[in-house]
Amino acid sequence: MLLVTTENLYGSENSANELTFITPANMISSYKDTPNSVTSLDARDLQNLGIDNFVDAMRLVPGMQVTETHGSSAAIGYHGTNVNVPRRMQILYNSNSLYRAGYADVIWQRMPIEVSDLERIEIVRGTNIADYGTNAFSSTVNLIQKPVALETESMINLKISSTNEQKVVASLGGNLGLSKGYIRVAAIKSEGFDRSPQLDTFNDDHEGHSLLYNGELDLSNSLLLDWYIASSEYEYEFPRYDNLKSDSASVQKTVGGASPDGKTNEKTLSGSIKLSGSSVEEITETAWKVGLDVTNFNRDQNLIFCYPAILYDPNLATLDTADNIQIDFEDTGLLIGSSMQTGVGALNKSLLGPLNAEQIQLLTNFGAAVRRAGPAAVASPLCASTNQDLIENRYKIFGGFNRSTDYFTYSSNLAVRMDDVDSQTYLGGSHTRSTYEWSNNIRQQVTSQLVLNVGVMTESNSDIDKVYFSPRVSFNFSVNDQNIIRLLAAESNRLPGVHETERQWRYHVNYLAGKMDYYNRASADTFRIATTDDLEPEKLRAYELAYTYLTQSNKTVVDVKYFKEKYSNLISQPFNYLAFTLTNNGVADVDGVEIGVGHKLNDVKFGGGISYLENDTDTLEEKSLYSRVSGSAWSIFSLSENVNLGLVYYGSKNQAKNNYDRVDANLNYVVRLAKTELSFDFNVRHLPKDQATYTEYSSSDPFILGYKDRDIYSIRSKLTF
């Protein structure tokens, strides 16, 4: 665990020389009064360790489970109680959630934010919906920007690696009239992983660029206007998983007939503008803010389908709209055989209930059409083009205030959010949802040694008829200035996203090469791939007992936490077309211990973290990220005024039936000339032979990927002026 130290320049210490955080409870907090456990990753320490991506940064966080699914996609979840696409963790930048509007997913490698944009990363380890709403079900990651007022330098950073990854980052900071600003551009091209023993060909290249502009304007001594806008555009490839042994024979046939048609294109736009102020009256301090957040996600993804022509039959599509029928690929042979023999199509695995007269007539019409066309025509593959395009927009108006005295602090934040999602494939059109959030936190200095935190989130949206409350209470007892004990109890509700509750998934296809089907059509609508029933919020009841030891000089911090979490109503099924209907049937009981340590001794920093988890669940998908033991150890040696050496070990045991053991070394050399600084980073990573991850395709057969050369070398050069 990297910890904020006395050397940080901004927002890391209070007047009492205590380490402070800004994320827990929406208040400035120290270890003596934070309701949750917190890990803080300092951006300069990450640089000295050779970490320039968020995936490796998250590996340093105790309890965070990390796997990579291909070259530009990772699955990251706290405590591993997640399906392959985690959606239970909040990601913030400048108060704005970086998750997609329709589906609580973030692509860590393709975000419009770079590690070099940040001062630090604060991770609230534990449920804090009471502060940040539904997505903060298990934890919150807050990307804290560099102070714009201090960013007066310009920078160019170049990176090349032995895996043919090329990256350039350039930034410019300074004053523009009365305002201060920071602008950064970045571009990357990567070939990703280069091997999988399960695939003959492996393609997961990605390339793209991003832009960030931060600005602020002092309107008065106590009034500040600040804003940011960030955008990115990436093209990427992803591997096929049809060589894996699927949980379902129907899924095996489904995925076997689908393939990407070129690269997928994704565009992201994120922005926020906020007006904030503060005042002091005797012993009372008041701070307030109002603002607007906007997020847009746009994906163009083309696919090629090659399936038997019978599966595009309009009678099947009509039958499939009934509640008692769910067309299963495994009925293909039965449909053809029964139609040829009797003139009436028959169903077996597709039936969820008895047929009515209208449905029998549809199967009769189907059988007659199959007989006319003949078995060769209906069974022969018919290839078609289709897409999984979508547009997601989020608009959020928010406001809040904090009022504090020497003994009491109160924080209240209100937000109204509109999520607008448009996808013909996933939703059959568009859907708009309004969400209302009201967070309240009270912190009371009960005695000189005891602090009480009480918080609650009140949340509802336009698609449900209930208001949900997510409360949290914690006690912090300072035995003395160096030893703190904390108790926490919380109950959280995660409201499902638009793509979970509103999906009506079917494809419109256009046949290739001028082909026509046996109805003489050039295009068709497939039967449903997935739908949804009513879903309830996921629920979590969490308890924590924590102990923190820290020295007055903040050079040593030890944080130990025992936790017990009971999850229920989990939406655990694989989210994609591999699960037809999502349910609230998932459960998991998780308990364990996390330890984080950080220490600075003269010219050496070192530390690490380890977690031990027990996950008692019969829901296989809730163990897809699970590792019983995982952790990291790191050290930074200041060899001279101009030379730093960073070493990191990352490890996890039996994650997707595989151990992950990795060692990185990074040598940083700095040359200073007048107002110019030139630095070089020489980095080597020794990777495990294979990396394994579960996909939504199979909960029992992990996908294996890796590099032909286990030793990866890279060089970075940075010019600051």
Side-chain angles (χ1 to χ4, degrees):
M1 180 171 66
L2 301 183
L3 298 161
V4 180
T5 69
T6 56
E7 297 178 5
N8 281 357
L9 301 175
Y10 182 78
S12 60
E13 293 186 354
N14 60 17
S15 58
N17 197 36
E18 296 174 323
L19 294 174
T20 60
F21 315 102
I22 65 173
T23 311
N26 268 308
M27 304 176 184
I28 295 177
S29 306
S30 69
Y31 278 113
K32 292 182 178 180
D33 52 26
T34 175
N36 294 90
S37 295
V38 185
T39 295
S40 184
L41 308 178
D42 184 85
R44 290 169 301 177
D45 288 343
L46 294 177
Q47 176 184 341
N48 284 325
L49 293 172
I51 296 173
D52 65 349
N53 66 84
F54 293 110
V55 176
D56 286 340
M58 290 301 102
R59 296 185 192 276
L60 298 172
V61 181
M64 200 67 76
Q65 309 290 294
V66 180
T67 64
E68 294 180 76
T69 52
H70 58 80
S72 65
S73 180
I76 300 177
Y78 187 61
H79 288 174
T81 55
N82 289 95
V83 290
N84 181 249
V85 185
R87 51 189 184 272
R88 298 174 184 156
M89 182 167 61
Q90 182 64 276
I91 314 296
L92 300 172
Y93 178 74
N94 270 21
S95 81
N96 194 4
S97 176
L98 295 178
Y99 270 126
R100 289 167 41 188
Y103 180 53
D105 176 33
V106 64
I107 310 299
W108 293 87
Q109 293 95 328
R110 303 195 295 271
M111 287 197 299
I113 308 299
E114 293 286 331
V115 173
S116 60
D117 299 327
L118 308 178
E119 185 207 41
R120 66 185 187 274
I121 307 171
E122 288 185 1
I123 301 95
V124 179
R125 296 174 10 242
T127 183
N128 60 325
I129 281 183
D131 307 326
Y132 297 105
T134 278
N135 285 351
F137 190 63
S138 70
S139 56
T140 292
V141 177
N142 192 8
L143 310 179
I144 300 172
Q145 72 171 61
K146 293 178 180 178
V148 175
L150 301 179
E151 285 302 304
T152 59
E153 298 178 325
S154 301
M155 179 270 291
I156 300 176
N157 193 338
L158 304 174
K159 175 185 177 181
I160 57 173
S161 78
S162 58
T163 58
N164 291 325
E165 178 183 318
Q166 304 159 37
K167 187 174 185 179
V168 58
V169 180
S171 65
L172 174 67
N175 296 335
L176 182 62
L178 297 176
S179 67
K180 306 175 182 69
Y182 166 80
I183 187 168
R184 187 267 304 148
V185 294
I188 186 173
K189 185 176 183 180
S190 172
E191 295 183 2
F193 294 94
D194 57 20
R195 58 172 287 275
S196 171
Q198 297 157 315
L199 299 174
D200 296 329
T201 59
F202 188 84
N203 299 311
D204 66 346
D205 298 2
H206 72 278
E207 60 180 307
H209 57 269
S210 65
L211 170 71
L212 171 69
Y213 172 51
N214 282 326
E216 64 179 40
L217 175 63
D218 285 310
L219 301 176
S220 70
N221 290 334
S222 60
L223 202 59
L224 178 69
L225 181 69
D226 68 272
W227 61 87
Y228 89 90
I229 184 168
S231 67
S232 64
E233 181 174 3
Y234 284 90
E235 288 189 338
Y236 64 93
E237 297 176 303
F238 56 91
R240 296 174 56 138
Y241 301 125
D242 50 321
N243 280 8
L244 301 179
K245 182 180 179 181
S246 174
D247 299 332
S248 162
S250 178
V251 167
Q252 196 102 28
K253 294 177 181 179
T254 305
V255 177
S259 60
D261 182 14
K263 293 184 177 181
T264 298
N265 178 274
E266 285 183 355
K267 298 183 182 72
T268 300
L269 178 67
S270 177
S272 177
I273 184 168
K274 178 172 86 269
L275 180 66
S276 56
S278 62
S279 63
V280 179
E281 297 178 4
E282 296 181 351
I283 64 170
T284 302
E285 296 183 16
T286 303
W288 57 269
K289 62 184 179 182
V290 292
L292 170 68
D293 293 341
V294 178
T295 301
N296 168 267
F297 178 82
N298 191 321
R299 184 177 70 198
D300 294 324
Q301 185 176 47
N302 297 318
L303 302 174
I304 299 294
F305 285 175
C306 288
Y307 295 119
I310 192 174
L311 296 178
Y312 303 113
D313 194 291
N315 293 291
L316 288 185
T318 302
L319 280 165
D320 189 61
T321 60
D323 292 337
N324 60 327
I325 297 176
Q326 174 187 323
I327 299 298
D328 192 306
F329 271 60
E330 291 191 71
D331 278 347
T332 303
L334 175 63
L335 281 165
I336 296 174
S338 60
S339 296
M340 297 306 299
Q341 292 174 11
T342 67
V344 179
L347 297 172
N348 181 18
K349 292 192 173 183
S350 302
L351 290 178
L352 306 179
L355 298 171
N356 59 35
E358 182 181 352
Q359 292 164 344
I360 293 173
Q361 184 59 52
L362 284 169
L363 284 171
T364 302
N365 296 342
F366 171 84
V370 169
R371 267 190 166 182
R372 285 194 302 270
V378 298
S380 61
L382 186 57
C383 295
S385 63
T386 187
N387 68 73
Q388 294 185 148
D389 298 350
L390 59 84
I391 300 174
E392 300 175 351
N393 294 296
R394 177 192 297 121
Y395 309 95
K396 177 180 175 182
I397 299 173
F398 63 91
F401 74 92
N402 286 31
R403 176 163 290 184
S404 62
T405 68
D406 292 341
Y407 304 102
F408 177 87
T409 302
Y410 173 63
S411 171
S412 182
N413 292 272
L414 182 66
V416 179
R417 189 181 79 237
M418 184 179 75
D419 298 322
D420 183 69
V421 184
D422 188 344
S423 175
Q424 197 63 40
T425 297
Y426 294 116
L427 305 179
S430 62
H431 185 81
T432 300
R433 170 181 293 172
S434 297
T435 300
Y436 314 94
E437 299 174 346
W438 186 24
S439 168
N440 289 276
N441 281 280
I442 298 174
R443 176 175 296 160
Q444 176 70 48
Q445 186 80 44
V446 180
T447 70
S448 60
Q449 294 177 286
L450 182 64
V451 175
L452 168 67
N453 281 283
V454 177
V456 63
M457 171 62 74
T458 305
E459 191 170 13
S460 185
N461 66 50
S462 56
D463 290 329
I464 60 177
D465 56 2
K466 290 182 63 176
V467 176
Y468 289 91
F469 300 93
S470 295
R472 176 192 61 206
V473 60
S474 73
F475 295 91
N476 295 49
F477 181 74
S478 297
V479 179
N480 50 43
D481 287 342
Q482 295 180 319
N483 298 275
I484 301 130
I485 297 172
R486 179 175 53 80
L487 294 170
L488 175 143
E491 190 166 292
S492 297
N493 294 280
R494 187 189 79 84
L495 276 60
V498 171
H499 279 301
E500 292 172 283
T501 62
E502 306 302 322
R503 64 183 192 161
Q504 295 295 329
W505 199 334
R506 70 171 70 236
Y507 292 92
H508 178 78
V509 301
N510 296 292
Y511 303 130
L512 298 178
K515 297 287 188 180
M516 309 290 278
D517 62 19
Y518 53 84
Y519 286 94
N520 202 33
R521 300 176 304 168
S523 63
D525 290 317
T526 67
F527 54 82
R528 292 173 300 172
I529 302 299
T531 186
T532 190
D533 290 331
D534 292 335
L535 292 173
E536 296 291 324
E538 295 184 319
K539 296 185 178 296
L540 166 61
R541 183 170 292 176
Y543 304 95
E544 295 179 5
L545 171 62
Y547 164 75
T548 301
Y549 169 81
L550 66 161
T551 60
Q552 292 182 350
S553 61
N554 295 330
K555 291 186 176 181
T556 302
V557 178
V558 178
D559 184 50
V560 182
K561 180 177 80 169
Y562 169 76
F563 56 89
K564 189 173 183 63
E565 300 167 340
K566 185 176 182 62
Y567 296 85
S568 60
N569 271 23
L570 295 180
I571 305 168
S572 303
Q573 290 88 354
F575 178 76
N576 285 334
Y577 53 84
L578 314 179
F580 185 80
T581 304
L582 303 178
T583 70
N584 285 111
N585 295 338
V587 295
D589 290 336
V590 179
D591 64 277
V593 177
E594 293 171 3
I595 302 173
V597 178
H599 182 68
K600 187 176 188 300
L601 177 64
N602 299 324
D603 294 326
V604 179
K605 285 184 180 180
F606 62 87
I610 189 170
S611 67
Y612 176 86
L613 303 177
E614 288 289 348
N615 186 343
D616 182 14
T617 180
D618 293 326
T619 310
L620 288 178
E621 291 82 6
E622 294 302 334
K623 281 193 171 183
S624 62
L625 287 178
Y626 171 68
S627 171
R628 178 173 277 111
V629 181
S630 62
S632 65
W634 59 271
S635 58
I636 300 172
F637 301 89
S638 181
L639 303 181
S640 71
E641 183 180 355
N642 299 322
V643 181
N644 291 292
L645 175 64
L647 302 173
V648 195
Y649 165 77
Y650 308 96
S652 61
K653 300 301 180 184
N654 200 30
Q655 188 174 36
K657 303 179 182 179
N658 190 69
N659 293 335
Y660 184 92
D661 292 289
R662 169 180 153 192
V663 178
D664 291 9
N666 188 81
L667 183 67
N668 173 256
Y669 177 71
V670 181
V671 178
R672 296 179 176 87
L673 299 170
K675 295 183 179 181
T676 302
E677 181 178 287
L678 180 63
S679 66
F680 298 92
D681 285 270
F682 305 92
N683 183 272
V684 59
R685 292 180 289 160
H686 181 69
L687 301 175
K689 178 183 177 182
D690 294 316
Q691 301 183 48
T693 180
Y694 285 118
T695 67
E696 293 190 314
Y697 187 66
S698 175
S699 61
S700 59
D701 190 10
F703 181 54
I704 308 297
L705 68 169
Y707 294 97
K708 295 176 183 177
D709 189 344
R710 293 175 60 185
D711 294 317
I712 307 299
Y713 303 91
S714 65
I715 299 175
R716 286 186 299 166
S717 61
K718 183 172 75 170
L719 177 65
T720 306
F721 54 94

